Amino acid sequence: MADLTGTIGPLTRLSVALSTRLLVFPALAVGLLCIALIVPSPMGALALFVGAVSVLVSFSVLSIVLLVHRQNAAATTAAVESFVTDDAASCIVTDKEGAVRHWNDAANRRFGPPPPGGLNTALTEILAQPAVTLRRMRLRAEDQGAAHEDVVTRYGQGRLSVHRLPNQQLLWRFQEFTPNRLFQDRRDGALLTVGRSNSILHMNDAARRLIRGQPKTLESLFGKLPLRSGEKHELLGTGGEQYIRVIDLGEVGGRRDLMLLEAGPPHGEKNVMDLMEILPVPLLMIAADGCIKSANAPARDLLGSDCREGARLADLTEGLGRSITDWLREAAAPSRSVHSEFLRLSNPDRETYVQVTLKKMRLDGRDVLITVLSDATELKTLEAQFVQSQKMQAIGQLAGGIAHDFNNLLTAISGYCDLMLLRRDPGDPDYSDLIQVHQNANRAASLVGQLLAFSRKQTLRPETVDLRDTLSDLTHLLNRLVGERVTLSLRHDPLLQPIQADKRQLEQVIMNLVVNARDAMSEGGEITIVTETLRLTEPLKRDRAEVTPGEYVSVKVIDSGHGIAPDQLNKVFEPFFTTKRIGEGTGLGLSTVYGIVKQTGGYIFADSTQGKGSCFTLLFPVREVESEVLIAPAPQIDTILTADSRGARLAQGVILLVEDETPVRAFASQALRLRGYTVLEADCAEAALRILEDSDLKVDIFVTDVVMPGMDGPSWVIKALEQRPGVRVVFVSGYAEEKFSAVQEQIPNSVFLPKPFSLTELTETVQRQLH
């Protein structure tokens, strides 16, 4: 377009000059002919005649040139008009006074039909002072051929450009960058344009009719500022009779556009109900006594079919600590404005929590509570999980500490019982009584083992276990446990791979699950144990656990009993939780199973359907067989010393015994001395190190407790081995901490002996270490 303007500019100026001066040529030719007629000299007359003819010829040539130029200019204008007809921007061809010569389709859509006042009138809707802008741009276009300006309109930003055309015409092109569709689609809407100081810059006719005046500022129109988009505001001077809903359409170039919609009073109950229904947030309108007056669709979906007008909030929800009636009465008090509370829905099918926020309002002369609901089930679930984890951790620490103390007591009881049995024959009257004491100590040790399993602080002895062989060995015992009215069946995967686990603890897990399944079938039934290989290619998320991808061995214990209620299913692994009657269970069975499985590195899941039965699924990772840490053989709690053990050959060696519990230290010292060892005693690690300061003292083996006041067992042993690197070590403890295995690997020639241990177990462990 600029090239076209540069080409036709000189021709246009020449055309204007010729059109105003061309009539001089015929007049000059006539004047020359008249003078030639009166000149007496023939030569002079001839010269004048030739001059007149030359002027007439020039006139003809110039007329033809002017005619051709006008035809070309008309053709050019027509081409330009045809070119801009389908332009997406508004294109208008005017004369130099602004009268419209052409109006394309885009301009018709944007401004409507051409107004009588021309372009100036058309742009009045979007520009504050269109006449000044158009004159400035027209002068620049006449001088330079084209001009453009970026303008800020009442609806956004735009660019207005002008190009000079032949025949003193101008091509105007208006393009909007951020047109406001709301204004384009609602020409009858009441529109305001407001400046930075809240001064009203422009009002359309619809706004003037709605407001019935011409205010200068927003303060004089509404009084209270700032205006909140979407809310209703009272017009000043109407006494609360006229309200306008204000829609803020955004700010461009320091100007803010507002749409005004006529509305009724904002506190009418019907209007509030209508507004509630269109909002996507669950909302209730309730009276101070808790009676529901209105509920929108999201609230009905959340609260269920019982949420309807006339229902009471207390019938749909349950308070978490106090009655809903008292809570509503407090929220409706004059001194309270906003109140929030967590409630549980009374729906028996699912456990759902909602957070309820109340806002007191006065509608039609009555106090009502606008209630905002939000689903807080996930939040409460996370909170319950956190509380449960804290509780389990606290109980686990308590159980571990109790088990440690009990193991010390049981070690002393069992040990002194062994010492007394050494001095009596089976025919002695006290022998049977000592056997009973020993057996009850073993039962107590078994219960302590369950506590340690629950707290995951028991000492596991992992080994390669083939579940098919393990279950086959257990079959006879399991059949005796389930009785005659229950059928036990096993199904194995023929390609089942071995796992790493403590065989004795794994057997306890299977027996506990089978016994629970038997108790769930009081009238008989079938228990099925299924083993299979499970390969996970992506994480398995169940309950609160996430099983990482890999290969697992799955063990399922399935029964056909009465099942577990849905509200109890997530509590079955909690300690001391049981559905059995008093005296029939301790509630430690499944918590013990959970502790053993988790300490082994496995997973356990429970599925149940009431009336159909339950299924407990165990997942153990398949691992390569690793070199096992040297650990003493599993203690046989029920070992009873025989006459052969009493007559064993005496051994030799110096033992440093470090134990903070006096009864345990006294028993262990006496037992080792009976075997012929020389025993040096210390009640703490510091005392042991002082004994070792004697460089002439030869010590063959350290027997030390792991957990002691002050320096613990591994710490003082590591320090002592710096000066005595060849001494062997036996660690004893009521439980082994999780980090102890890693520490033990750093101490050469060391084994672990868990409490409670018998006299025979202690002496045999020391004997193996020395030889």
Side-chain angles (χ1 to χ4, degrees):
M1 188 69 70
D3 293 342
L4 176 62
T5 303
T7 302
I8 65 176
L11 294 178
T12 301
R13 288 191 289 271
L14 176 61
S15 174
V16 173
L18 289 175
S19 62
T20 56
R21 297 178 174 85
L22 197 59
L23 294 177
V24 177
F25 287 85
L28 178 61
V30 173
L32 291 175
L33 289 175
C34 293
I35 295 173
L37 293 175
I38 61 175
V39 171
S41 171
M43 294 300 293
L46 179 61
L48 291 172
F49 180 77
V50 172
V53 172
S54 299
V55 171
L56 290 175
V57 172
S58 299
F59 172 75
S60 301
V61 172
L62 291 175
S63 298
I64 294 173
V65 171
L66 181 59
L67 178 61
V68 171
H69 171 70
R70 287 178 175 176
Q71 292 177 346
N72 290 338
T76 300
T77 302
V80 170
E81 294 175 354
S82 175
F83 177 76
V84 301
T85 297
D86 299 325
D87 196 334
S90 300
C91 296
I92 303 167
V93 177
T94 68
D95 60 15
K96 65 178 182 178
E97 302 300 332
V100 176
R101 303 303 183 191
H102 179 74
W103 191 272
N104 74 345
D105 294 337
N108 192 61
R109 289 191 301 268
R110 180 64 184 85
F111 301 105
L119 183 60
N120 187 21
T121 303
L123 296 182
T124 301
E125 181 185 354
I126 61 173
L127 296 179
Q129 295 178 328
V132 176
T133 302
L134 294 177
R135 182 176 181 278
R136 180 174 62 251
M137 295 183 64
R138 177 175 58 80
L139 293 176
R140 288 170 54 194
E142 289 179 355
D143 181 49
Q144 302 175 9
H148 71 270
E149 288 187 9
D150 292 330
V151 295
V152 178
T153 70
R154 293 188 174 93
Y155 317 130
Q157 294 179 340
R159 171 169 291 186
L160 182 62
S161 57
V162 59
H163 297 270
R164 188 177 57 202
L165 296 179
N167 298 333
Q168 296 184 313
Q169 294 185 347
L170 299 170
L171 170 62
W172 301 87
R173 190 172 185 271
F174 178 65
Q175 182 180 9
E176 289 180 283
F177 299 145
T178 56
N180 194 308
R181 297 298 179 189
L182 183 59
F183 277 88
Q184 294 182 28
D185 298 338
R186 294 193 55 127
R187 299 182 184 281
D188 57 341
L191 309 174
L192 284 181
T193 300
V194 182
R196 288 192 175 93
S197 60
N198 289 326
S199 59
I200 298 177
L201 304 178
H202 175 76
M203 297 173 58
N204 67 355
D205 294 337
R208 295 188 185 96
R209 290 193 299 269
L210 177 63
I211 297 173
R212 296 190 294 273
Q214 291 184 337
K216 301 299 183 182
T217 63
L218 287 181
E219 288 88 346
S220 62
L221 182 60
F222 294 106
K224 295 182 179 180
L225 297 180
L227 300 178
R228 294 176 294 276
S229 181
E231 296 190 9
K232 300 177 184 179
H233 300 270
E234 179 187 356
L235 285 179
L236 289 181
T238 62
E241 296 180 356
Q242 185 176 4
Y243 289 84
I244 290 178
R245 189 185 302 278
V246 178
I247 308 297
D248 193 334
L249 300 174
E251 180 178 343
V252 177
R255 299 180 179 183
R256 189 156 50 103
D257 297 316
L258 305 177
M259 174 174 279
L260 308 181
L261 303 176
E262 189 173 6
H267 300 304
E269 185 172 319
K270 183 178 183 305
N271 292 329
V272 173
M273 290 181 179
D274 293 341
L275 182 60
M276 286 171 51
E277 191 63 33
I278 64 174
L279 293 177
V281 180
L283 295 172
L284 296 176
M285 182 191 298
I286 61 177
D289 60 356
C291 183
I292 297 177
K293 301 177 66 63
S294 176
N296 66 355
R300 294 191 295 270
D301 294 339
L302 179 61
L303 298 180
S305 57
D306 293 335
C307 179
R308 57 184 178 272
E309 185 176 354
R312 298 182 62 83
L313 184 63
D315 297 332
L316 301 177
T317 58
E318 301 172 0
L320 301 180
R322 58 174 172 166
S323 67
I324 296 179
T325 304
D326 294 341
W327 171 56
L328 292 177
R329 186 183 304 112
E330 179 183 336
S335 60
R336 302 303 295 266
S337 56
V338 179
H339 201 72
S340 181
E341 192 74 44
F342 285 96
L343 303 178
R344 181 174 56 243
L345 299 189
S346 302
N347 191 339
D349 298 334
R350 69 183 194 276
E351 192 171 50
T352 304
Y353 295 88
V354 293
Q355 184 178 14
V356 183
T357 303
L358 301 178
K359 170 68 176 179
K360 183 177 63 178
M361 296 184 64
R362 189 166 185 83
L363 299 179
D364 297 338
R366 295 177 299 171
D367 289 333
V368 297
L369 296 170
I370 300 298
T371 307
V372 181
L373 307 176
S374 58
D375 191 342
T377 303
E378 184 175 356
L379 176 63
K380 296 299 289 184
T381 300
L382 292 175
E383 180 182 343
Q385 291 176 359
F386 177 75
V387 172
Q388 176 66 13
S389 66
Q390 294 293 310
K391 181 174 66 175
M392 296 288 283
Q393 181 180 1
I395 295 178
Q397 292 176 347
L398 176 63
I402 291 175
H404 178 265
D405 293 338
F406 265 86
N407 277 332
N408 282 325
L409 296 175
L410 292 173
T411 300
I413 293 173
S414 298
Y416 281 108
C417 186
D418 288 342
L419 291 174
M420 295 177 69
L421 285 172
L422 285 174
R423 296 191 291 268
R424 284 168 174 77
D425 294 325
D428 193 292
D430 296 332
Y431 191 85
S432 59
D433 295 337
L434 292 174
I435 293 296
Q436 289 296 323
V437 172
H438 199 284
Q439 290 178 349
N440 281 280
N442 290 342
R443 292 180 59 188
S446 177
L447 180 60
V448 172
Q450 290 187 0
L451 288 173
L452 284 173
F454 159 68
S455 65
R456 305 186 207 174
K457 291 183 178 179
Q458 63 179 344
T459 303
L460 297 183
R461 299 166 185 83
E463 57 181 298
T464 302
V465 176
D466 190 326
L467 281 173
R468 292 171 296 185
D469 296 339
T470 301
L471 291 175
S472 297
D473 296 340
L474 275 177
T475 301
H476 180 68
L477 177 59
L478 294 178
N479 281 323
R480 293 183 59 185
L481 285 174
V482 299
E484 297 179 354
R485 304 179 65 180
V486 177
T487 303
L488 178 67
S489 61
L490 284 77
R491 296 204 306 267
H492 291 303
D493 184 345
L495 301 178
L496 200 66
Q497 297 192 42
I499 62 174
Q500 289 289 109
D502 186 315
K503 183 177 180 180
R504 184 171 63 88
Q505 299 293 345
L506 186 59
E507 291 173 349
Q508 181 181 352
V509 168
I510 301 298
M511 285 192 293
N512 283 2
L513 293 177
V514 170
V515 169
N516 279 351
R518 177 203 65 187
D519 295 341
M521 299 182 293
S522 57
E523 299 180 358
E526 181 180 4
I527 300 175
T528 305
I529 301 178
V530 181
T531 63
E532 59 183 351
T533 300
L534 180 64
R535 294 177 178 86
L536 298 179
T537 58
E538 57 185 22
L540 172 64
K541 295 183 179 180
R542 275 209 53 180
D543 303 334
R544 303 171 187 173
E546 179 176 338
V547 184
T548 57
E551 191 170 9
Y552 295 85
V553 171
S554 168
V555 182
K556 294 183 179 179
V557 180
I558 308 170
D559 66 68
S560 57
H562 51 68
I564 305 172
D567 60 334
Q568 297 177 343
L569 190 60
N570 60 346
K571 302 177 182 178
V572 294
F573 297 118
E574 295 182 8
F576 311 111
F577 175 82
T578 179
T579 58
K580 300 176 183 179
R581 290 176 295 183
I582 297 176
E584 294 184 355
T586 62
L588 282 175
L590 286 178
S591 63
T592 300
V593 168
Y594 182 85
I596 294 174
V597 171
K598 297 303 290 184
Q599 191 176 4
T600 306
Y603 302 86
I604 182 169
F605 303 107
D607 299 284
S608 183
T609 303
Q610 283 191 288
K612 295 184 178 181
S614 304
C615 174
F616 285 84
T617 303
L618 308 175
L619 295 179
F620 296 102
V622 174
R623 297 174 180 168
E624 296 182 0
V625 179
E626 300 176 355
S627 58
E628 299 180 3
V629 178
L630 183 59
I631 295 179
Q636 303 296 324
I637 301 299
D638 56 352
T639 300
I640 302 299
L641 293 178
T642 63
D644 293 338
S645 63
R646 279 181 266 141
R649 180 172 56 87
L650 295 180
Q652 294 180 352
V654 179
I655 299 174
L656 176 58
L657 175 63
V658 185
E659 171 63 60
D660 62 308
E661 290 287 337
T662 303
V664 177
R665 186 176 67 253
F667 150 67
S669 175
Q670 187 175 352
L672 293 171
R673 287 192 177 100
L674 286 175
R675 286 288 185 241
Y677 296 108
T678 301
V679 180
L680 305 175
E681 299 182 31
D683 61 355
C684 63
E686 290 77 8
L689 291 175
R690 286 195 295 269
I691 292 175
L692 295 176
E693 290 177 357
D694 185 358
S695 59
D696 296 331
L697 178 64
K698 180 180 181 301
V699 178
D700 299 304
I701 189 169
F702 298 149
V703 179
T704 177
D705 195 4
V706 174
V707 179
M708 295 181 294
M711 189 180 297
D712 61 15
S715 298
W716 83 262
V717 167
I718 292 175
K719 187 173 182 179
L721 290 177
E722 294 177 359
Q723 302 298 326
R724 300 172 183 264
V727 180
R728 296 178 177 271
V729 185
V730 175
F731 288 106
V732 296
S733 181
Y735 62 86
E737 296 182 349
E738 297 177 0
K739 63 180 181 180
F740 179 72
S741 296
V743 174
Q744 187 182 357
E745 292 178 357
Q746 302 175 7
I747 301 176
N749 303 320
S750 63
V751 295
F752 183 82
L753 178 64
K755 297 177 181 178
F757 49 79
S758 65
L759 183 150
T760 303
E761 291 164 353
L762 174 62
T763 56
E764 288 182 353
T765 301
V766 171
Q767 181 70 16
R768 282 195 302 269
Q769 277 293 86
L770 285 175
H771 302 284

